[in-house]
Amino acid sequence: MPGPYKETDLTERVEAFLSDLKRGGSGMGPLRGSAETARETTALLRRITAQARWSSAGDLMEIIRKEGRRMTAAQPSETTVGNMVRRVLKMIREEYARSRGSSEEADQQESLHKLLTSGGLSEENFRQHLPALKTHLIEAINELLTELEGTTDNIAMQALEHIHSNEVIMTIGRSRTVEAFLKDAARKRKFHVIVAECAPFCQGHEMATSLSEAGIETTVIADAAIFAVMSRVNKVIIGTQTVLANGGLRAVNGTHTLALAAKHHSTPLIVCAPMFKLSPQFPNEEDTFHKFVSPQEVLPFTEGEILSKVNVHCPVFDYVPPELITLFISNIGGHAPSYIYRLMSELYHPDDHEL
Amino acid sequence: MADSGVTDGSGRNEIERAKSEGKELTKEEKQRLRKEKKQQKKTKERKDDKASQESEKEKKPLTSAAPVSQPPTQTAIQKAPSAVPVPAPVSVPASEAPAPADKPAKSKAELKAERRARQEAERASKQGKKGETGQQAATGKPKAPPNDLQPVVKRLPEHIQVDNPDVLKKLAKKLERQQIPLRSDYGYKVSLFSHLHQYSRKAPLTQQLSIPSTVIHPAIVRLGLQYSQGIVAGSNARSVALLHAFIQVIRDYTTPPNEELSRDLVNKLKPYISFLNQCRPLSASMGNAIKYIKKEISNIPSQCKEEEAKSKLLNCIECYINEKIILAAKAIAKSSIEKISDGDVILVYGCSSLVNHILCEAFEKNRKFRVIVVDSRPRLEGREALRRLVQRGISCTYVLISAVSYILPEVSKVFLGAHALLANGYVMSRVGTSQIALVAKAFNVPVLVCCETYKFCERVQTDSFVSNELDDPDDLIVTRKGKTQLENWQQVPSLGLLNLVYDVTPPDFVDLVITDLGMIPCTSVPVVLRVKNVDQ
């Protein structure tokens, strides 16, 4: 009977994934992009749905929530993991509601009208056993996976609508989404890209070499020169790690300065972010927002005598408020930052904001 | 009969004599006149705009050396060949005058009137063109007498016209004359900055000098090497080093037999300054110091004995250093300490000798504060500032410039140093200063700039492109985790590296400028400059 076998196999995979996450976040393990993480998370969730033992939707949701909590605890800054878990939870709710036949297409948000007319709690406890639920769910998760595969291409396809000839575009650090975006536009248009190197990790260098190999005129500048050259820039296109619930960004450090400089020169700031980066977090949680890595990157151990007397900080992320952002480009099109809350309510259920 | 003081003296005298005697100009004189006028025309037209010449050509048919049948208003006049067929004297005067006059006698009066009219027109147009063209022919035109609001005749400096081949040729010729090697540009220059030089640190100019160098004083050679390798950096340090080198030069100087000290010493200094300029473009403070020295030297009376003159000059220089740099720093520290209160968190950027001095003084006066030092690649000057402050016992934090929006909510004041203060209120300083001022403004943190008055400069600039310095682009290359991404950037045709040295901060980001004359807003810089000029 492959039952217990499957379970140990499953737990092994989950453990392997968790340790990968832990290692990847500290910068030691192989650096993987968020798209990869999202895909792996979704694949793992599909496996859990297929192989774990559950009888009703409520059980499955409990299992997924538990695993999700473990995964987000392994690497809190990697928000795509939590986002995928929440997507799957929402899918489970939808599938359950559809199988039950109730027309729950209406707004699931609490409204005063609903509270009064429904007369008492209509709490779903998802206990009903529905036989076809599993297959439906696995289909839905497969759809989600195909959507994830196509995000970068979908975003890159919109490039020609936003970039015209002879423009000077500025970007910071390294984002695979922005790279694909610019390379797609470069097939038909000629423009110039300025990359800010983003110390201390200097990922901008990789971005510049990759873009110049595609034939795009690229210039690498130091972070300190961002404001100095901004007057000649037509557009700023950046990627981000997470899109927060208020439309702000959690992006690589230096992005806030870039956004302020763009605002000062009235240069549009365009963020290329696929939908799986949208997270129901708000930026107010000070202690969980920032992530720090070893200050050795900033002040190396070779500066021995002063190291013990000095505080050195090396934050990884920056908060960019939504007022500084002009446009979000995602795989479902372009939106203003004020529309993000609406997209979020379509992707996630409010009860799942806290895993 | 001359154009505004351009022809040689002898010709002018003869012709004036002829004019005053009412005699007809001889054929030779007329030929000479024509030749002179042609030469002037050629040198001028080579540099001036063709279009602006159109109107003038009508009044200068003298230069039409081409066939007589040419109508006067021709662009072809410009392209008149230099080898003028001399035996056309009779016909040429005829073509000058609009009224066809065969007899020279008749055209003489008309010629006179015409010439006078032409002179007026030329003078007027020259005044107008002086502002447009940057290429002033070294023809010794008299400068406009200094009035209060007289438009200043400005010559565009060579180091921001690198994309103009004529300027480069002129520079090469000048350096050849002074026997200084020309430094060649290095690497691919970003198109936005093609008008600036970009040198490599690995090829210092001193390698091209012969040993021993007879033209350049060894102290200057050493100084040039220190500049180009970055051993002496920072505007105060560079100015002081320059003045000390000049002290050495003046001590070793002896006046050659038939020369005057005031003129000869200035001429001796010119190749040194070109050499230093080639090693590293001069800073605004160095420029002001050099102007001061040249003025002092030319003010030395001719009957002064050599020893006396030299000691006077040395005294002047020592005085300058003492007053403008050392005492100014003390005065600025005194006023800044009032601005530092207990419990302050002060942010500084890079390594400014003045700001470090202020912080150390404040710490000695027992103010309780802590300092955040912000640094940036590739120079990483903040580490030097960090060392100096930690040595004094000040508690410091250290971050890179990309983390500045993380750390700013903790900061209560920002102190910045300046490389120069421009006449329109902009602050020219190390690249990254404007960024810090921008983010500080966004977080409502006051920004104070500390600057001595000798760094005030009459230039105006609104962005960081027109006049800047490009450092060695290889400095941006870094090796992380064993991989050097940009190692072969020269091979990739579409990749460029940009290493700017300076940037300008708009005055609305700066709240206060602390100088040795007091605490002034950024916009009062031209007032200080005017007061200084009146004093001198």
Side-chain angles (χ1 to χ4, degrees):
Chain A
M1 186 46 196
Y5 226 31
K6 264 206 253 172
E7 284 217 348
T8 46
D9 180 46
L10 182 61
T11 39
E12 261 175 44
R13 284 184 188 269
V14 173
E15 293 300 322
F17 185 62
L18 284 178
S19 56
D20 251 354
L21 276 180
K22 275 206 195 101
R23 264 191 310 135
S26 66
M28 289 304 134
L31 265 181
R32 62 219 331 231
S34 342
E36 246 183 83
T37 317
R39 237 174 285 139
E40 286 193 22
T41 316
T42 319
L44 193 61
L45 289 172
R46 182 178 58 183
R47 199 173 276 277
I48 294 178
T49 318
Q51 292 178 356
R53 271 200 286 200
W54 51 278
S55 55
S56 69
D59 288 342
L60 180 59
M61 278 167 56
E62 267 313 306
I63 297 175
I64 289 189
R65 240 188 236 126
K66 195 179 89 185
E67 294 300 327
R69 268 193 290 258
R70 282 177 70 202
M71 289 196 274
T72 45
Q75 191 56 250
S77 67
E78 194 59 62
T79 42
T80 40
V81 174
N83 296 346
M84 289 297 104
V85 170
R86 292 184 188 98
R87 284 288 281 278
V88 169
L89 286 173
K90 174 125 202 238
M91 256 186 260
I92 297 175
R93 283 175 209 267
E94 278 177 8
E95 285 299 323
Y96 184 77
R98 202 173 305 147
S99 307
R100 275 257 302 246
S102 56
S103 55
E104 284 280 328
E105 296 105 11
D107 194 3
Q108 294 198 348
Q109 303 283 6
E110 294 289 310
S111 78
L112 214 50
H113 181 246
K114 248 175 55 177
L115 271 178
L116 295 174
T117 53
S118 57
L121 293 169
S122 59
E123 200 178 86
E124 295 275 354
N125 42 13
F126 298 96
R127 289 286 154 217
Q128 199 173 3
H129 176 72
L130 297 165
L133 189 59
K134 197 180 224 178
T135 35
H136 285 287
L137 269 179
I138 299 204
E139 264 175 43
I141 297 184
N142 282 334
E143 271 177 34
L144 179 58
L145 270 174
T146 29
E147 185 194 314
L148 286 179
E149 313 257 317
T151 44
T152 317
D153 290 329
N154 280 336
I155 293 180
M157 280 196 314
Q158 304 174 48
L160 284 174
E161 293 169 26
H162 297 281
I163 300 179
H164 58 80
S165 281
N166 279 332
E167 272 201 300
V168 178
I169 295 180
M170 185 157 196
T171 182
I172 187 169
R174 176 156 195 226
S175 163
R176 284 169 195 74
T177 319
V178 175
E179 213 181 299
F181 192 81
L182 293 175
K183 281 185 180 166
D184 195 88
R187 286 187 296 128
K188 297 277 172 57
R189 308 254 157 99
K190 275 217 91 44
F191 52 90
H192 191 122
V193 176
I194 299 182
V195 181
E197 66 178 3
C198 189
F201 309 108
C202 292
Q203 301 224 308
H205 294 190
E206 273 178 59
M207 177 85 154
T209 31
S210 158
L211 286 177
S212 57
E213 272 156 26
I216 304 177
E217 282 278 334
T218 323
T219 305
V220 179
I221 60 167
D223 293 333
I226 287 178
F227 186 75
V229 303
M230 182 57 81
S231 52
R232 277 297 248 115
V233 173
N234 298 115
K235 284 195 174 76
V236 180
I237 301 183
I238 56 176
T240 174
Q241 203 259 358
T242 311
V243 179
L244 299 166
N246 63 345
L249 299 181
R250 184 205 280 176
V252 77
N253 67 340
T255 313
H256 189 210
T257 311
L258 183 64
L260 283 172
K263 186 82 179 184
H264 182 262
H265 287 96
S266 297
T267 312
L269 178 67
I270 298 177
V271 181
C272 292
M275 275 288 109
F276 63 80
K277 286 193 179 168
L278 195 54
S279 158
Q281 258 185 314
F282 276 90
N284 311 329
E285 302 114 39
E286 270 307 314
D287 36 353
T288 49
F289 185 82
H290 280 291
K291 174 179 151 184
F292 299 88
V293 289
S294 161
Q296 205 254 349
E297 312 276 351
V298 174
L299 195 59
F301 290 115
T302 45
E303 300 284 329
E305 327 85 57
I306 45 176
L307 266 183
S308 51
K309 307 179 192 140
V310 177
N311 291 330
V312 184
H313 296 290
C314 186
V316 180
F317 298 122
D318 240 356
Y319 169 62
V320 182
E323 306 84 65
L324 302 175
I325 302 170
T326 318
L327 184 68
F328 279 97
I329 295 183
S330 70
N331 45 316
I332 53 180
H335 326 281
S338 46
Y339 187 63
I340 294 290
Y341 81 97
R342 198 76 193 138
L343 290 171
M344 245 202 5
S345 67
E346 287 174 15
L347 290 178
Y348 313 126
H349 193 272
D351 290 341
D352 295 331
H353 286 336
E354 282 298 314
L355 270 184
Chain B
M1 262 269 297
D3 284 342
S4 30
V6 181
T7 48
D8 60 321
S10 54
R12 193 200 300 189
N13 293 337
E14 275 182 281
I15 293 164
E16 300 237 292
R17 189 194 9 112
K19 244 192 355 196
S20 56
E21 294 174 12
K23 265 201 270 183
E24 177 187 351
L25 293 174
T26 59
K27 270 189 201 169
E28 293 82 57
E29 287 173 41
K30 278 192 209 129
Q31 279 172 35
R32 203 184 324 133
L33 245 187
R34 253 174 268 131
K35 276 205 198 114
E36 284 165 2
K37 286 239 170 73
K38 239 172 274 140
Q39 293 292 11
Q40 293 153 33
K41 208 70 212 351
K42 230 159 286 148
T43 47
K44 218 189 304 161
E45 280 163 6
R46 220 178 275 140
K47 288 153 195 163
D48 284 353
D49 213 353
K50 275 190 191 176
S52 58
Q53 286 278 304
E54 291 282 329
S55 53
E56 287 201 345
K57 274 170 250 152
E58 296 179 319
K59 298 166 193 140
K60 289 189 215 156
L62 249 184
T63 58
S64 62
V68 177
S69 49
Q70 243 184 0
T73 63
Q74 274 303 333
T75 45
I77 291 176
Q78 261 186 328
K79 302 176 188 134
S82 48
V84 174
V86 172
V90 178
S91 41
V92 175
S95 65
E96 297 162 15
D102 293 316
K103 296 183 207 130
K106 186 180 175 196
S107 60
K108 194 199 77 181
E110 288 178 58
L111 271 175
K112 244 199 250 175
E114 255 183 85
R115 275 183 213 126
R116 223 161 264 143
R118 238 179 282 128
Q119 275 172 47
E120 302 306 304
E122 264 175 71
R123 224 175 266 134
S125 59
K126 248 177 238 160
Q127 287 287 351
K129 256 187 288 152
K130 263 175 191 166
E132 296 168 35
T133 58
Q135 300 295 335
Q136 289 303 322
T139 48
K141 291 192 182 81
K143 258 192 169 180
N147 269 353
D148 268 348
L149 295 172
Q150 190 73 16
V152 179
V153 174
K154 278 208 179 125
R155 195 190 295 214
L156 271 184
E158 169 275 327
H159 69 271
I160 59 170
Q161 291 188 77
V162 175
D163 52 352
N164 189 342
D166 293 335
V167 175
L168 287 178
K169 259 191 276 174
K170 242 184 106 190
L171 172 72
K173 264 197 245 162
K174 176 173 129 192
L175 289 178
E176 222 181 284
R177 226 183 331 127
Q178 297 174 338
Q179 293 174 291
I180 293 172
L182 174 68
R183 199 170 185 194
S184 48
D185 282 357
Y186 165 78
Y188 168 71
K189 250 190 282 184
V190 179
S191 57
L192 282 174
F193 290 94
S194 56
H195 62 289
L196 298 172
H197 282 297
Q198 181 171 277
Y199 299 128
S200 164
R201 196 160 296 135
K202 297 199 196 74
L205 195 57
T206 44
Q207 281 177 357
Q208 302 175 41
L209 281 182
S210 60
I211 295 172
S213 161
T214 46
V215 178
I216 306 178
H217 193 279
I220 303 276
V221 175
R222 190 179 72 173
L223 187 65
L225 189 62
Q226 284 173 334
Y227 281 168
S228 69
Q229 299 299 100
I231 300 171
V232 173
S235 61
N236 274 345
R238 289 209 285 164
S239 308
V240 170
L242 177 75
L243 291 169
H244 281 303
F246 276 175
I247 286 179
Q248 194 65 26
V249 166
I250 292 178
R251 269 207 202 110
D252 296 341
Y253 172 75
T254 45
T255 325
N258 288 335
E259 301 280 345
E260 255 188 55
L261 182 132
S262 54
R263 251 182 256 137
D264 185 59
L265 186 53
V266 178
N267 287 341
K268 273 267 169 13
L269 288 181
K270 282 200 186 126
Y272 299 167
I273 296 169
S274 308
F275 173 72
L276 290 176
N277 207 4
Q278 287 287 91
C279 288
R280 187 171 166 193
L282 296 180
S283 66
S285 49
M286 285 164 72
N288 286 346
I290 289 175
K291 255 190 253 170
Y292 173 78
I293 292 181
K294 281 193 178 160
K295 196 170 74 84
E296 288 298 312
I297 294 178
S298 37
N299 282 349
I300 297 224
S302 39
Q303 59 269 33
C304 204
K305 274 202 289 248
E306 187 177 315
E307 282 312 312
E308 215 183 294
K310 276 169 43 166
S311 66
K312 194 156 157 255
L313 282 175
L314 294 178
N315 214 7
C316 278
I317 296 182
E318 295 276 347
C319 226
Y320 188 82
I321 297 181
N322 203 20
E323 263 174 49
K324 307 275 180 175
I325 302 180
I326 300 179
L327 287 181
K330 287 211 181 98
I332 293 177
K334 219 162 126 210
S335 19
S336 321
I337 289 176
E338 301 163 26
K339 293 286 171 194
I340 300 179
S341 23
D342 284 343
D344 260 348
V345 179
I346 298 180
L347 187 129
V348 300
Y349 175 62
C351 183
S352 164
S353 52
L354 188 54
V355 174
N356 290 343
H357 180 82
I358 292 174
L359 292 176
C360 295
E361 289 287 309
F363 192 69
E364 305 220 331
K365 299 253 167 43
N366 291 329
R367 291 273 200 277
K368 309 265 174 298
F369 59 90
R370 67 183 177 92
V371 175
I372 299 181
V373 179
V374 177
D375 202 7
S376 77
R377 280 195 75 239
R379 285 182 163 235
L380 293 173
E381 291 172 330
R383 294 197 185 159
E384 182 56 42
L386 193 65
R387 268 180 230 123
R388 290 187 202 169
L389 294 174
V390 168
Q391 244 180 12
R392 297 299 197 102
I394 304 177
S395 63
C396 297
T397 308
Y398 178 78
V399 288
L400 286 182
I401 195 170
S402 36
V404 86
S405 31
Y406 161 72
I407 203 108
L408 253 170
E410 299 177 14
V411 174
S412 61
K413 290 188 180 75
V414 177
F415 272 79
L416 299 173
H419 173 259
L421 241 64
L422 304 175
N424 58 340
Y426 278 63
V427 178
M428 183 176 201
S429 184
R430 187 65 84 220
V431 68
T433 312
S434 54
Q435 229 166 280
I436 301 224
L438 168 78
V439 186
K441 186 98 185 163
F443 282 87
N444 270 324
V445 175
V447 175
L448 293 87
V449 171
C450 308
C451 183
E452 300 96 334
T453 44
Y454 87 104
K455 289 183 188 162
F456 285 18
C457 147
E458 271 157 14
R459 252 192 2 203
V460 289
Q461 209 178 310
T462 50
D463 62 20
S464 321
F465 293 94
V466 291
S467 173
N468 208 326
E469 195 185 319
L470 292 179
D471 211 355
D472 192 351
D474 289 335
D475 286 347
L476 283 178
I477 303 179
V478 72
T479 305
R480 278 182 55 88
K481 300 190 182 162
K483 284 207 294 184
T484 316
Q485 285 289 336
L486 294 178
E487 209 162 8
N488 305 315
W489 71 276
Q490 305 250 30
Q491 272 80 11
V492 184
S494 37
L495 185 59
L497 301 185
L498 185 62
N499 189 358
L500 283 180
V501 180
Y502 298 119
D503 73 4
V504 282
T505 309
D508 25 328
F509 291 161
V510 177
D511 292 305
L512 189 65
V513 178
I514 307 178
T515 68
D516 39 322
L517 292 179
M519 306 202 213
I520 58 175
C522 237
T523 43
S524 296
V525 169
V527 176
V528 170
L529 279 173
R530 194 191 179 82
V531 164
K532 266 198 340 178
N533 283 343
V534 165
D535 277 347
Q536 288 170 0

